[in-house]
Amino acid sequence: MIEISKFIIGAFILLGALLCLIASIGVLRLPDVYTRNHAASKGATLGVMSLLLGVFLYFFLVQGHFNSRVLLGIVFVFITSPVAGHLIMRAAFNTNVPLWENSVQNDLQKKKDEEMNQHDS
Amino acid sequence: MKRTNLKTNDLILQTVVKVVFFIIFIYSVYIFFAGHYTPGGGFVGGLMTSSAIVLLLLAYDVKTVAAVIPFNFLKIAATGLLLALGTGMASFFYKVPFLTHAHGPVHLPFFGEVELASATAFDLGVYLVVVGVTMTIIQTIGETE
């Protein structure tokens, strides 16, 4: 029981660390703010949640200690991290940070132009 | 950048803050009470409570938050200082030095035997001072145009 759970915990910790590494490589390699933010907010959220789940399972299954704060941390990261990504992304768009030059679709720009025209007239 | 008077739509932020505020506030109360036996206490608890209120200030404007939490934070800081001083002065009634704290089992209705320490009252004073001072600083800076 303990030995199997140690393997599962190790898998969760390694998966979380790997996802965080992939997210940071994505932040370095991707071309513009929006794609970088996409990599950072998605990859790092799942990575941190996986790490915290590994920590929770280690203390619960191996040490026999139910730590509800770690579970609260998982829920909290899951709620707040995408919202933080959304707000950073919107702030970048509203300050006219350009998209990557090979981008093909920008629906929000049309919406923004319409609202500006309505506001001016 | 061209400045506009367009009202930005903060629906996502405001909805999430409504949920997250209670998580942070309840966790800060937990941190406050856990301070006797585990890491925590009045200072971090007070900072977390004020950070929850700052989150409300970020999502809504100052007037809405003042309507939801109608406290004068300077008075809260003063109350905290009086509470901390009062727990120190209470030791004079038992002919022991200033700030001598007592603890022991107390019989409460509904709860039964509870181990209580008078240091918690001093910690509550620290908590109120931290919340009051932090919120006074932030509201004073935020209101200047």
Side-chain angles (χ1 to χ4, degrees), chain B residues 51-67:
Chain B
S51 70
I53 304 174
V54 168
L55 200 60
L56 277 184
L57 281 172
L58 283 176
Y60 300 89
D61 53 321
V62 178
K63 277 176 191 155
T64 316
V65 176

Side-chain angles (χ1 to χ4, degrees), chain B residues 55-128:
Chain B
L55 200 60
L56 277 184
L57 281 172
L58 283 176
Y60 300 89
D61 53 321
V62 178
K63 277 176 191 155
T64 316
V65 176
V68 172
I69 309 173
F71 298 126
N72 184 350
F73 286 104
L74 265 181
K75 280 182 184 161
I76 287 186
T79 314
L81 276 177
L82 273 180
L83 194 63
L85 190 67
T87 53
M89 302 280 269
S91 61
F92 290 153
F93 294 111
Y94 301 97
K95 296 227 164 57
V96 285
F98 183 60
L99 276 177
T100 305
H101 283 290
H103 61 90
V106 180
H107 193 81
L108 294 176
F110 301 115
F111 294 105
E113 291 278 300
V114 183
E115 173 93 9
L116 288 181
S118 68
T120 309
F122 185 80
D123 226 18
L124 185 64
V126 174
Y127 177 89
L128 291 178

